[in-house]
Amino acid sequence: MSRLLTLLLLPLSWLYAGIMAGRNWLYDTGRRPAATFPQVPVLSVGNLRVGGTGKTPHVAWLVAWLLAQGQRPALLSRGYGRRTRGYRRATAPDTAATIGDEPLQQFQQFRGQVPVAVSEDRAAGIWQLLREEPTLTAVVLDDAYQHRRVRPALSVLLTEQQRPFYQDHVLPAGRLRESRAGARRADVVIVTKCDPQLSEAARAAIRRRIGRYARPGVPVLFSTYAYGRPVPVPGTATGAAPGPEVVVLTGIAQPGPLLEYLAAAGYRVLHHARFPDHHAFRPAELRQLAAQLRPGQCVLTTQKDAARLLEPALAASMADLPVFYIPIDVRFMADGETRLQELLTPLFQPHAVV
């Protein structure tokens, strides 16, 4: 967005920010009630900015850590992009159309070991999960930073290194869902998608900028991505491992880090079919993609996109396409993992008050 257009849109941003500030004030002062759940710690992961800040892999890290500690977590999401409404528990027949691409990805990643559900009303969703699974010991809320109707035991705020919230404006002049002051609700801030070579001096400068908006003493941690080997997408014509020449298919908010990784890994991207975040792929689009391929070439995509490519309506178009997804894991920099564990562990002590 040009600087002139940003300036022209700022009055609308101030109006929207004021509306959101008023809403937050109602919850902060108790004039609007927020549900609490003394039965289990509720852990919220979210952001201030519209678009991809790495919520899904960070939620996966958190769920995996809980499992490793012997906890029994559940994952609750709104289910953005689904064509259903109300509470819905993920099961094997579900697709991205019924529960959303990110919940489907999480359900597949944990192979049903973790209850995954979607609900627009997170409080009602938590109560339903607790009725269905009375032995749960934690509920992880995905993309719930602005969902003030639930008061979490721990609120995790994510922001990208390349697009930090403190350099952005509220919609429509920028991409923030609320003002930068919203960072004060965070119990920990994680700067995501960092350059692995980010220096301590650069991290200190970022901490200072975030410290202008976060509460005093709130930890600011840094994470980066670790990319895995390509994984065949079920139902596609995958044989040998991908060669050096590939076509890339994405329907995510920020495909830049993936493209940077592919270049560094020695892949030559011949064509990038880029679609908006949560895009519902159509057979005609896949046929156009197939036309870009030559013998020995394949399609590389993300794990979230792969979840949407499993729609039954796409099966015929996918059958002859060699498609792989690139898995992503979160890696914390410096002592970030230890510090996050120090915040989490007390929530599961017998004396903890949630």
Side-chain angles (χ1 to χ4, degrees), residues 166-177:
Y166 55 75
Q167 291 180 347
D168 208 343
H169 299 285
V170 175
L171 292 164
R175 300 284 287 173
L176 297 184
R177 301 171 176 180

Side-chain angles (χ1 to χ4, degrees), residues 7 19 35 47 57 62 67 81 133 148 174 244 318 346 353:
L7 292 173
I19 294 172
N47 55 17
L62 187 55
L67 290 173
E133 302 285 345
R148 300 298 308 275
M318 292 290 292
V353 178

Side-chain angles (χ1 to χ4, degrees), residues 69-139:
Q69 307 310 305
Q71 301 298 325
R72 191 164 191 280
L75 202 159
L76 180 63
S77 172
R78 176 189 172 190
Y80 186 85
R82 64 185 173 124
R83 300 172 189 168
T84 59
R85 294 187 61 81
Y87 176 87
R88 187 180 181 97
R89 175 83 171 265
T91 59
D94 273 305
T95 67
T98 59
I99 61 173
D101 52 5
E102 292 166 350
L104 179 62
Q105 176 185 336
Q106 303 286 21
F107 179 75
Q108 294 170 339
Q109 182 169 346
F110 291 104
R111 297 177 174 86
Q113 185 182 6
V114 175
V116 175
V118 295
S119 178
E120 298 90 344
D121 185 336
R122 311 295 172 86
I126 294 172
W127 283 120
Q128 184 62 30
L129 276 169
L130 292 174
R131 283 191 288 268
E132 294 176 356
E133 302 285 345
T135 61
L136 287 180
T137 61
V139 177

